[in-house]
Amino acid sequence: MDLGIRDKKAIVCAGSKGLGRGCAEALAEAGVEIVLNARSADVLEATAREIAGKYGVKVTPVAADITTEDGRKAVLAAGEGADILVNNAGGPPPGLWSDWNRDDFIKALDANMLAPIAMMQAVLPTMIDRGWGRIVNITSQSVKAPIAQLGLSNSARSGLTGFVAGTSRQVAGYGVTINNMLPGIHATDRAISLDSGVMKAEGISMEEAQARRARTIPAGRYGTSTEFGSMCAFLCSQHAGFIVGQNISLDGGAANISV
C-alpha cells in the first residue's frame, strides 16, 4: 500500500532503537525524511546511517534529551516544518508505591506527559496552518489496564492520554490527527529491563522470566518493533485522516478490555 506520505518530514523521538526505531524505519520505507532523536550520540548516528542507507531517505540525527527544554529546542530546530511527530520516551522504573517520592513523580511527568505535550504544542500551529499533520504518541497499555508495579508510568501516561483526548478533537477539523499507540510487551530493551527485575526478585532465569510473561499474552509471544512501526506508519498516512483521538492497543490481546 502506498501510504501517500513520500517526501513528508517526520520527527521521531527516542528513535535509535526499540519501538521508536521501528516507527522511524517504517516511515523511512514510505519515503519520509526523518529527524531522528535519541540521547546516545554513537548509537543514534549508527542507526541514522543504517536507515538512510537502507531506504535512501535523508535522516538527520539529533542527540538530545527530549525531556529537557534545550533538548526539545534542538530537535524542533532540525525538524522545522515537520509534517509528522512521533513522541516517545523511555518509561520510568517499576517498583512499589512506597518506593517513590515527589521527585520521582515529577521526573516521570516530565518525560512521559509534559515533554510530549510541549512537542505537540510546538508543531501544531504549523500543521494547522498547512491543513495537514499527523501526531502519534507511544504510550502504554497501562493507560487502559494499569500495571501494579508501574505506578509512575500509569500516572504520567494517563495524564497524556487525557490531554490528547481533548486536543485531538480540537485540531481534527484542520486536517491534523493525534492518536496514541499503546504497546504491550515487545522484544525491546524495556522488556529486558522488566524481565531482569522479575529474574532477580524471584531467583529465576531470564528464559523462565520471558516464558512466564509470554504465557500471559494470548498471542503467545512478544511483539516486534517491525509490526509496531507498521501501525505507526499507517496512522501517519494519508489513509488515516478519520482516525482521531484513539488509543490503539498493540499488546497481543494481553489487556482484556472491550473498549
Side-chain angles (χ1 to χ4, degrees):
M1 177 188 290
D2 181 358
L3 299 182
I5 51 176
R6 182 169 299 278
D7 298 325
K8 299 285 190 186
K9 180 190 284 189
I11 296 172
V12 181
C13 302
S16 65
K17 54 187 177 180
L19 300 181
R21 176 168 180 165
C23 293
E25 292 217 32
L27 289 169
E29 186 175 12
V32 176
E33 175 187 341
I34 306 295
V35 174
L36 194 67
N37 159 253
R39 287 179 294 182
S40 176
D42 291 346
V43 176
L44 175 64
E45 290 169 5
T47 299
R49 287 193 298 270
E50 290 170 10
I51 294 175
K54 184 174 181 179
Y55 299 106
V57 299
K58 181 180 179 181
V59 181
T60 303
V62 183
D65 184 349
I66 201 69
T67 69
T68 68
E69 184 175 357
D70 287 344
R72 290 190 292 275
K73 285 181 179 178
V75 173
L76 290 165
E80 184 177 4
D83 306 283
I84 295 166
L85 169 65
V86 179
N87 272 318
N88 186 29
L96 298 172
W97 61 271
S98 55
D99 293 335
W100 306 310
N101 57 35
R102 186 177 189 278
D103 289 341
D104 295 319
F105 279 100
I106 294 299
K107 185 176 180 180
L109 290 170
D110 275 337
N112 299 126
M113 186 181 94
L114 298 178
I117 287 174
M119 290 294 291
M120 285 187 276
Q121 290 175 321
V123 302
L124 277 170
T126 299
M127 291 180 176
I128 289 170
D129 287 343
R130 186 185 295 128
W132 196 94
R134 299 287 186 265
I135 298 175
V136 172
N137 300 296
I138 300 176
T139 64
S140 169
Q141 67 172 352
S142 67
V143 303
K144 285 189 175 181
I147 299 168
Q149 66 270 30
L150 298 183
L152 294 175
S153 179
N154 297 340
S155 303
R157 297 189 193 278
S158 294
L160 175 62
T161 302
F163 177 84
V164 168
T167 304
S168 62
R169 287 157 176 89
Q170 293 173 336
V171 303
Y174 299 99
V176 180
T177 68
I178 311 175
N179 293 286
N180 301 323
M181 293 178 67
L182 282 52
I185 296 296
H186 285 67
T188 64
D189 287 350
R190 176 67 165 168
I192 292 174
S193 174
L194 294 174
D195 290 334
S196 295
V198 173
M199 178 184 70
K200 294 174 182 176
E202 301 190 22
I204 59 177
S205 68
M206 176 63 81
E207 291 74 18
E208 175 56 27
Q210 292 172 333
R212 184 183 299 180
R213 195 182 299 275
R215 288 193 292 270
T216 70
I217 304 171
R221 63 176 178 86
Y222 289 7
T224 71
S225 58
T226 299
E227 57 196 350
F228 188 89
S230 295
M231 174 58 77
C232 180
F234 178 76
L235 290 174
C236 296
S237 76
Q238 296 284 8
H239 309 295
F242 208 56
I243 303 175
V244 174
Q246 298 304 300
N247 295 289
I248 300 172
S249 297
L250 294 97
D251 63 358
N256 190 5
I257 298 175
S258 60
V259 294

